[in-house]
Amino acid sequence: MNAPPRPAPGAVLPVLLSAGLLLTACGTGEDAPREQDGEDRAAAAEAVADDPVVTTYDGGLYVLDGQTLEVVGDIPLEGFNRINPAGDERHVLVSTSEGFQVLDAVGAELTDTLFPADSPGHVVRHAGRTVLFADGSGEITAFDTDALGGGLPETDVRTAEEAHHGVAVELAGGELLLTLGDEEERVGAVVLDAAGEEVARSEECPGVHGESTAEGGAVVIGCEDGVLIYQEGGFTKVDSPDGYGRIGNQAGGEESPIILGDYKTDPDAELERPERVALIDTRDAGLTLVDLPGSYTFRSLGRGPGGEALVLGTDGGLHVIDPEKGEVVDSIEVTDEWREPLEWQQPRPALFVRGGTAYVSDPATRRVHSLDLESGEVTASVTLEEAPNELSGVAP
């Protein structure tokens, strides 16, 4: 899940996570996820949306049919809610004040299945596992992605010694990569094996934030001065060309060994509006900066079916970058020009990519569009009653 950074003054030495994380049994006790009863699951099984797309608004969620963009569900839900793909073809996870709640997007129904979490944060899907990170407690909950359809999944829970705004990813071999830090400072990442023993550690990543995986299984973690790459049992630090060159949000996938990241250079800015993105090549630890026609936001990054890097710009264009060449090769006009609001919770255009289709929201016009990435044509549009904010959907 991509998100803006939280302030990290760094004045206090961090209490770092250790290999001795607590591994607890799941499905018991007051903090166990709540499960739907049989009647709820039967009702949720009815399909009302094909390849659904979900957007939040102030006061609820819209569920859209992914083909026609018809509104098939309008679900009232108070508070500032965030959404992420659960990783399967049916569900989306909604971060609420109580935790991660399961939305049956195909059935257009918010279920009663809840993973309780203190300040629910990042959701990561990789190698058939979904991992949830609770910022307020440091609790990490992992489960088989395809188990959501059968009701309450069996979970593995690990609790970090110090809570922080972090992220974790379970690797194909069963190792767990998670960030290091506390409420004051975030400094790096550690990898633990299935028994909780430390495999690798790096504390060379100030302000660590966000993650993405690349072709071949490499994992990239963002820092305020570059990135960390984890592969083949060890970390490699890649330095930014600037002393402060923050790469806090990334987009990757199995189609490319190159990760797309944002790139900011002003640590004192109230709100920096960057006009360059970073490309990190996990094959040789190379970092290339690409100039764009305008700025973009943390909701602007995506990847196409061939590994192309996609950036939704404030100039109204969806910019297509060839990651091997490191240059913009096409720009598709989608919206009018827009300006990023100062408050990160406020709506701004967002990008969600699934297969060969890019979905773009435009809160100024209350519209959502779908684009065919091969032809560059808009294939459907819808005007909503409320301005869309976050944009997501089920996995391909």
PDB file of all heavy atoms in Angstrom, residues 8-14 182-186:
ATOM      1  N   ALA A   8       9.385  12.067  11.020  1.00  0.00           N
ATOM      2  CA  ALA A   8      10.336  11.257  11.766  1.00  0.00           C
ATOM      3  C   ALA A   8      11.516  12.127  12.147  1.00  0.00           C
ATOM      4  O   ALA A   8      12.508  12.202  11.449  1.00  0.00           O
ATOM      5  CB  ALA A   8      10.788  10.057  10.927  1.00  0.00           C
ATOM      6  N   PRO A   9      11.444  12.836  13.258  1.00  0.00           N
ATOM      7  CA  PRO A   9      12.475  13.776  13.608  1.00  0.00           C
ATOM      8  C   PRO A   9      13.829  13.150  13.809  1.00  0.00           C
ATOM      9  O   PRO A   9      14.852  13.799  13.616  1.00  0.00           O
ATOM     10  CB  PRO A   9      11.958  14.408  14.909  1.00  0.00           C
ATOM     11  CG  PRO A   9      10.849  13.561  15.382  1.00  0.00           C
ATOM     12  CD  PRO A   9      10.329  12.798  14.215  1.00  0.00           C
ATOM     13  N   GLY A  10      13.883  11.892  14.214  1.00  0.00           N
ATOM     14  CA  GLY A  10      15.154  11.192  14.295  1.00  0.00           C
ATOM     15  C   GLY A  10      16.040  11.661  15.427  1.00  0.00           C
ATOM     16  O   GLY A  10      17.244  11.433  15.419  1.00  0.00           O
ATOM     17  N   ALA A  11      15.508  12.334  16.439  1.00  0.00           N
ATOM     18  CA  ALA A  11      16.322  12.843  17.527  1.00  0.00           C
ATOM     19  C   ALA A  11      16.613  11.791  18.573  1.00  0.00           C
ATOM     20  O   ALA A  11      17.481  11.950  19.411  1.00  0.00           O
ATOM     21  CB  ALA A  11      15.623  14.025  18.181  1.00  0.00           C
ATOM     22  N   VAL A  12      15.876  10.684  18.545  1.00  0.00           N
ATOM     23  CA  VAL A  12      16.036   9.647  19.549  1.00  0.00           C
ATOM     24  C   VAL A  12      16.527   8.385  18.874  1.00  0.00           C
ATOM     25  O   VAL A  12      16.046   8.002  17.821  1.00  0.00           O
ATOM     26  CB  VAL A  12      14.688   9.364  20.262  1.00  0.00           C
ATOM     27  CG1 VAL A  12      14.866   8.272  21.303  1.00  0.00           C
ATOM     28  CG2 VAL A  12      14.168  10.647  20.902  1.00  0.00           C
ATOM     29  N   LEU A  13      17.522   7.723  19.454  1.00  0.00           N
ATOM     30  CA  LEU A  13      17.999   6.476  18.892  1.00  0.00           C
ATOM     31  C   LEU A  13      16.887   5.454  18.906  1.00  0.00           C
ATOM     32  O   LEU A  13      16.180   5.303  19.896  1.00  0.00           O
ATOM     33  CB  LEU A  13      19.199   5.949  19.693  1.00  0.00           C
ATOM     34  CG  LEU A  13      20.494   6.752  19.546  1.00  0.00           C
ATOM     35  CD1 LEU A  13      21.548   6.170  20.477  1.00  0.00           C
ATOM     36  CD2 LEU A  13      20.974   6.750  18.117  1.00  0.00           C
ATOM     37  N   PRO A  14      16.694   4.695  17.799  1.00  0.00           N
ATOM     38  CA  PRO A  14      15.576   3.764  17.737  1.00  0.00           C
ATOM     39  C   PRO A  14      15.809   2.533  18.587  1.00  0.00           C
ATOM     40  O   PRO A  14      16.928   2.079  18.764  1.00  0.00           O
ATOM     41  CB  PRO A  14      15.540   3.385  16.243  1.00  0.00           C
ATOM     42  CG  PRO A  14      16.961   3.528  15.796  1.00  0.00           C
ATOM     43  CD  PRO A  14      17.515   4.696  16.579  1.00  0.00           C
ATOM     44  N   ASP A 182      10.929   2.768  15.360  1.00  0.00           N
ATOM     45  CA  ASP A 182      10.011   2.986  16.453  1.00  0.00           C
ATOM     46  C   ASP A 182       9.179   4.219  16.111  1.00  0.00           C
ATOM     47  O   ASP A 182       9.179   4.665  14.961  1.00  0.00           O
ATOM     48  CB  ASP A 182      10.737   3.121  17.795  1.00  0.00           C
ATOM     49  CG  ASP A 182      11.735   4.273  17.822  1.00  0.00           C
ATOM     50  OD1 ASP A 182      11.632   5.181  16.970  1.00  0.00           O
ATOM     51  OD2 ASP A 182      12.612   4.280  18.704  1.00  0.00           O
ATOM     52  N   GLU A 183       8.487   4.795  17.085  1.00  0.00           N
ATOM     53  CA  GLU A 183       7.625   5.937  16.803  1.00  0.00           C
ATOM     54  C   GLU A 183       8.410   7.189  16.440  1.00  0.00           C
ATOM     55  O   GLU A 183       7.862   8.115  15.841  1.00  0.00           O
ATOM     56  CB  GLU A 183       6.713   6.209  18.005  1.00  0.00           C
ATOM     57  CG  GLU A 183       5.676   5.129  18.258  1.00  0.00           C
ATOM     58  CD  GLU A 183       4.763   5.470  19.419  1.00  0.00           C
ATOM     59  OE1 GLU A 183       5.051   6.476  20.107  1.00  0.00           O
ATOM     60  OE2 GLU A 183       3.773   4.751  19.630  1.00  0.00           O
ATOM     61  N   GLU A 184       9.693   7.229  16.785  1.00  0.00           N
ATOM     62  CA  GLU A 184      10.498   8.421  16.542  1.00  0.00           C
ATOM     63  C   GLU A 184      11.320   8.337  15.268  1.00  0.00           C
ATOM     64  O   GLU A 184      11.590   9.352  14.624  1.00  0.00           O
ATOM     65  CB  GLU A 184      11.445   8.658  17.733  1.00  0.00           C
ATOM     66  CG  GLU A 184      10.740   8.885  19.056  1.00  0.00           C
ATOM     67  CD  GLU A 184       9.938  10.164  19.067  1.00  0.00           C
ATOM     68  OE1 GLU A 184      10.332  11.100  18.349  1.00  0.00           O
ATOM     69  OE2 GLU A 184       8.923  10.227  19.782  1.00  0.00           O
ATOM     70  N   GLU A 185      11.741   7.127  14.906  1.00  0.00           N
ATOM     71  CA  GLU A 185      12.711   7.007  13.825  1.00  0.00           C
ATOM     72  C   GLU A 185      12.586   5.652  13.136  1.00  0.00           C
ATOM     73  O   GLU A 185      12.351   4.630  13.794  1.00  0.00           O
ATOM     74  CB  GLU A 185      14.124   7.169  14.404  1.00  0.00           C
ATOM     75  CG  GLU A 185      15.211   7.276  13.375  1.00  0.00           C
ATOM     76  CD  GLU A 185      16.566   7.536  14.020  1.00  0.00           C
ATOM     77  OE1 GLU A 185      16.720   7.203  15.214  1.00  0.00           O
ATOM     78  OE2 GLU A 185      17.452   8.060  13.336  1.00  0.00           O
ATOM     79  N   ARG A 186      12.759   5.657  11.835  1.00  0.00           N
ATOM     80  CA  ARG A 186      12.775   4.417  11.057  1.00  0.00           C
ATOM     81  C   ARG A 186      14.124   4.347  10.340  1.00  0.00           C
ATOM     82  O   ARG A 186      14.538   5.313   9.686  1.00  0.00           O
ATOM     83  CB  ARG A 186      11.617   4.385  10.060  1.00  0.00           C
ATOM     84  CG  ARG A 186      10.259   4.577  10.724  1.00  0.00           C
ATOM     85  CD  ARG A 186       9.096   4.338   9.770  1.00  0.00           C
ATOM     86  NE  ARG A 186       9.126   5.153   8.578  1.00  0.00           N
ATOM     87  CZ  ARG A 186       8.630   6.385   8.498  1.00  0.00           C
ATOM     88  NH1 ARG A 186       8.101   6.959   9.576  1.00  0.00           N
ATOM     89  NH2 ARG A 186       8.678   7.060   7.360  1.00  0.00           N
TER      90      ARG A 186
END
